Amino acid sequence: MRAGGRPQQWGDEEAWGVEQRAWFDTSTTPAHLLVRDVGGRDEGNYRCKVHFKASPSWTQSVTLNIKDPPGFPRIQDESGRRLEGPIGPYEDGSTVRMMCLSSGEPPPGLVWGGRGSVLGSGTSVEHQGSLSTTWMVVIASRATAHTTITCSTTNHSISSGLMNTVSTTITVNLPPLEVRLEAPGEWVSGGQQTTFRCRVVGASPEPQVQWWLAGRQLAATTPLTTVAGNVSVSTVKLTPEPGDHGAPLVCKAFSPNLPGTVLHDQLTLAVHFVPVATISISGGGGGEAGVREGGSVTFTCHLKANPRVYNVTWFHNASVRDVDSPSPTL
């Protein structure tokens, strides 16, 4: 909600683009959805659902069919569903059959293009009256994932050759190929915030990433980002304490549609921190000891430090009494 109680509209950028071609207009009665620059990929079923506080929800749906102009190609599957823009995701190894058709006088020629067409197998163009059709078969795989296939009409009576083109992009469910945890160095400083990154390669769609420290799940500091093609990066910021020294930091990643295929990488935290010293006294209680003159008393300095201390200096009433070197046993 915006300030003042006015709602803020949201639209999926993958469906409507960053320019947001769709807009829900509530200034009229009844309210209605406006879609600008309608294209083939907008074809499909639209559903409106309204929720009421004191009565059941109300739902209504409508199917939008886009009529192609003469000579404009259309890619569809065997059921007649239009294939335009991103399609899938398909399972790895599955067969994707698509048909391109167009009509006109004279019947137009059709030609497949795009990188995906090189990885698939197309059929020759068939003419039936004013209708031209051709088929393309592609095997969904890591090689064909995110590849674009185009179908264009040709008319040999026009010197320019190509007239109209439509395209579709295949998406495939794929597990990650590699998960790599990246640290800023070999060790981190206790009490100082440190950034760790987890780089995930090859997952499709965008992977789910989990962070764990010593068996405790952590929340990622920033949203998952895509840096190049099929590489995603998750970031976590930690403020390690001395007790985290030696603890395992783990990054796990998996495709949301393939939760059983998990890859992980881990490192053991090396935390450097200033020495922490405590003293115990044999024969005494707490921080005091009562002994007879001529007797003996033992003071023990307990040290916790990383890296190891290289000397220990004892003071008596602010005067140096003794220096142990090399370092004692911690």
Side-chain angles (χ1 to χ4, degrees), residues 131-148:
L131 182 66
S132 302
T133 59
T134 180
W135 286 88
M136 169 67 70
V137 178
V138 179
I139 304 300
S141 66
R142 196 172 290 278
T144 56
H146 306 294
T147 59
T148 297

mmCIF file of all heavy atoms in Angstrom, residues 131-148:
data_model
loop_
_atom_site.group_PDB
_atom_site.id
_atom_site.type_symbol
_atom_site.label_atom_id
_atom_site.label_comp_id
_atom_site.label_asym_id
_atom_site.label_seq_id
_atom_site.Cartn_x
_atom_site.Cartn_y
_atom_site.Cartn_z
ATOM 1 N N LEU A 131 -3.244 -22.334 -46.790
ATOM 2 C CA LEU A 131 -2.546 -22.571 -45.521
ATOM 3 C C LEU A 131 -1.222 -23.276 -45.751
ATOM 4 O O LEU A 131 -1.156 -24.279 -46.486
ATOM 5 C CB LEU A 131 -3.419 -23.399 -44.582
ATOM 6 C CG LEU A 131 -2.846 -23.698 -43.194
ATOM 7 C CD1 LEU A 131 -2.724 -22.409 -42.390
ATOM 8 C CD2 LEU A 131 -3.717 -24.718 -42.464
ATOM 9 N N SER A 132 -0.177 -22.775 -45.123
ATOM 10 C CA SER A 132 1.146 -23.401 -45.154
ATOM 11 C C SER A 132 1.506 -23.857 -43.751
ATOM 12 O O SER A 132 1.279 -23.135 -42.770
ATOM 13 C CB SER A 132 2.207 -22.411 -45.661
ATOM 14 O OG SER A 132 1.891 -21.932 -46.950
ATOM 15 N N THR A 133 2.080 -25.054 -43.610
ATOM 16 C CA THR A 133 2.460 -25.591 -42.294
ATOM 17 C C THR A 133 3.821 -26.271 -42.384
ATOM 18 O O THR A 133 4.212 -26.798 -43.437
ATOM 19 C CB THR A 133 1.427 -26.622 -41.772
ATOM 20 O OG1 THR A 133 1.332 -27.708 -42.710
ATOM 21 C CG2 THR A 133 0.061 -25.976 -41.585
ATOM 22 N N THR A 134 4.522 -26.273 -41.253
ATOM 23 C CA THR A 134 5.782 -27.004 -41.117
ATOM 24 C C THR A 134 5.981 -27.339 -39.645
ATOM 25 O O THR A 134 5.494 -26.615 -38.761
ATOM 26 C CB THR A 134 6.968 -26.196 -41.660
ATOM 27 O OG1 THR A 134 8.172 -26.959 -41.496
ATOM 28 C CG2 THR A 134 7.132 -24.878 -40.918
ATOM 29 N N TRP A 135 6.684 -28.442 -39.364
ATOM 30 C CA TRP A 135 6.874 -28.912 -37.988
ATOM 31 C C TRP A 135 8.342 -28.822 -37.605
ATOM 32 O O TRP A 135 9.233 -28.940 -38.443
ATOM 33 C CB TRP A 135 6.407 -30.360 -37.839
ATOM 34 C CG TRP A 135 4.914 -30.515 -37.824
ATOM 35 C CD1 TRP A 135 4.087 -30.678 -38.909
ATOM 36 C CD2 TRP A 135 4.078 -30.502 -36.670
ATOM 37 N NE1 TRP A 135 2.781 -30.773 -38.495
ATOM 38 C CE2 TRP A 135 2.743 -30.664 -37.132
ATOM 39 C CE3 TRP A 135 4.314 -30.356 -35.310
ATOM 40 C CZ2 TRP A 135 1.656 -30.698 -36.258
ATOM 41 C CZ3 TRP A 135 3.223 -30.393 -34.433
ATOM 42 C CH2 TRP A 135 1.927 -30.564 -34.907
ATOM 43 N N MET A 136 8.564 -28.637 -36.285
ATOM 44 C CA MET A 136 9.910 -28.651 -35.712
ATOM 45 C C MET A 136 9.873 -29.511 -34.459
ATOM 46 O O MET A 136 8.959 -29.386 -33.629
ATOM 47 C CB MET A 136 10.381 -27.245 -35.368
ATOM 48 C CG MET A 136 11.659 -27.164 -34.530
ATOM 49 S SD MET A 136 13.133 -27.725 -35.390
ATOM 50 C CE MET A 136 13.337 -26.398 -36.578
ATOM 51 N N VAL A 137 10.848 -30.408 -34.311
ATOM 52 C CA VAL A 137 10.966 -31.262 -33.128
ATOM 53 C C VAL A 137 12.295 -30.959 -32.444
ATOM 54 O O VAL A 137 13.356 -31.021 -33.085
ATOM 55 C CB VAL A 137 10.876 -32.755 -33.498
ATOM 56 C CG1 VAL A 137 11.058 -33.618 -32.239
ATOM 57 C CG2 VAL A 137 9.546 -33.069 -34.170
ATOM 58 N N VAL A 138 12.228 -30.623 -31.159
ATOM 59 C CA VAL A 138 13.426 -30.301 -30.372
ATOM 60 C C VAL A 138 13.423 -31.139 -29.102
ATOM 61 O O VAL A 138 12.368 -31.295 -28.466
ATOM 62 C CB VAL A 138 13.480 -28.805 -30.013
ATOM 63 C CG1 VAL A 138 14.708 -28.493 -29.172
ATOM 64 C CG2 VAL A 138 13.471 -27.945 -31.265
ATOM 65 N N ILE A 139 14.559 -31.698 -28.748
ATOM 66 C CA ILE A 139 14.694 -32.434 -27.484
ATOM 67 C C ILE A 139 15.130 -31.446 -26.405
ATOM 68 O O ILE A 139 16.171 -30.803 -26.523
ATOM 69 C CB ILE A 139 15.710 -33.587 -27.600
ATOM 70 C CG1 ILE A 139 15.316 -34.533 -28.736
ATOM 71 C CG2 ILE A 139 15.811 -34.339 -26.277
ATOM 72 C CD1 ILE A 139 13.943 -35.165 -28.566
ATOM 73 N N ALA A 140 14.315 -31.316 -25.347
ATOM 74 C CA ALA A 140 14.651 -30.422 -24.233
ATOM 75 C C ALA A 140 15.879 -30.971 -23.508
ATOM 76 O O ALA A 140 15.895 -32.123 -23.072
ATOM 77 C CB ALA A 140 13.472 -30.300 -23.277
ATOM 78 N N SER A 141 16.904 -30.138 -23.370
ATOM 79 C CA SER A 141 18.151 -30.568 -22.731
ATOM 80 C C SER A 141 18.917 -29.329 -22.294
ATOM 81 O O SER A 141 18.494 -28.196 -22.536
ATOM 82 C CB SER A 141 18.999 -31.396 -23.702
ATOM 83 O OG SER A 141 19.427 -30.584 -24.778
ATOM 84 N N ARG A 142 20.056 -29.565 -21.686
ATOM 85 C CA ARG A 142 20.898 -28.434 -21.297
ATOM 86 C C ARG A 142 21.400 -27.678 -22.530
ATOM 87 O O ARG A 142 21.597 -26.460 -22.493
ATOM 88 C CB ARG A 142 22.069 -28.927 -20.442
ATOM 89 C CG ARG A 142 22.784 -27.825 -19.678
ATOM 90 C CD ARG A 142 23.799 -28.393 -18.721
ATOM 91 N NE ARG A 142 23.190 -29.085 -17.606
ATOM 92 C CZ ARG A 142 22.722 -28.491 -16.512
ATOM 93 N NH1 ARG A 142 22.792 -27.180 -16.405
ATOM 94 N NH2 ARG A 142 22.186 -29.203 -15.536
ATOM 95 N N ALA A 143 21.576 -28.400 -23.631
ATOM 96 C CA ALA A 143 22.058 -27.762 -24.855
ATOM 97 C C ALA A 143 20.995 -26.862 -25.482
ATOM 98 O O ALA A 143 21.317 -25.847 -26.100
ATOM 99 C CB ALA A 143 22.500 -28.818 -25.858
ATOM 100 N N THR A 144 19.720 -27.232 -25.338
ATOM 101 C CA THR A 144 18.654 -26.455 -25.984
ATOM 102 C C THR A 144 17.974 -25.487 -25.020
ATOM 103 O O THR A 144 17.106 -24.719 -25.440
ATOM 104 C CB THR A 144 17.591 -27.388 -26.578
ATOM 105 O OG1 THR A 144 17.070 -28.247 -25.550
ATOM 106 C CG2 THR A 144 18.184 -28.248 -27.683
ATOM 107 N N ALA A 145 18.326 -25.522 -23.734
ATOM 108 C CA ALA A 145 17.695 -24.623 -22.762
ATOM 109 C C ALA A 145 18.007 -23.174 -23.102
ATOM 110 O O ALA A 145 19.142 -22.830 -23.451
ATOM 111 C CB ALA A 145 18.173 -24.948 -21.342
ATOM 112 N N HIS A 146 16.995 -22.334 -23.017
ATOM 113 C CA HIS A 146 17.102 -20.890 -23.254
ATOM 114 C C HIS A 146 17.485 -20.556 -24.698
ATOM 115 O O HIS A 146 17.960 -19.457 -24.970
ATOM 116 C CB HIS A 146 18.095 -20.240 -22.292
ATOM 117 C CG HIS A 146 17.798 -20.522 -20.851
ATOM 118 N ND1 HIS A 146 16.665 -20.058 -20.222
ATOM 119 C CD2 HIS A 146 18.468 -21.245 -19.916
ATOM 120 C CE1 HIS A 146 16.658 -20.471 -18.969
ATOM 121 N NE2 HIS A 146 17.742 -21.199 -18.755
ATOM 122 N N THR A 147 17.296 -21.500 -25.613
ATOM 123 C CA THR A 147 17.546 -21.204 -27.021
ATOM 124 C C THR A 147 16.261 -20.695 -27.671
ATOM 125 O O THR A 147 15.162 -21.092 -27.302
ATOM 126 C CB THR A 147 18.043 -22.438 -27.781
ATOM 127 O OG1 THR A 147 17.064 -23.482 -27.688
ATOM 128 C CG2 THR A 147 19.350 -22.922 -27.222
ATOM 129 N N THR A 148 16.425 -19.825 -28.624
ATOM 130 C CA THR A 148 15.293 -19.212 -29.307
ATOM 131 C C THR A 148 15.115 -19.835 -30.684
ATOM 132 O O THR A 148 16.091 -20.041 -31.420
ATOM 133 C CB THR A 148 15.507 -17.703 -29.450
ATOM 134 O OG1 THR A 148 15.576 -17.120 -28.141
ATOM 135 C CG2 THR A 148 14.358 -17.051 -30.212
#
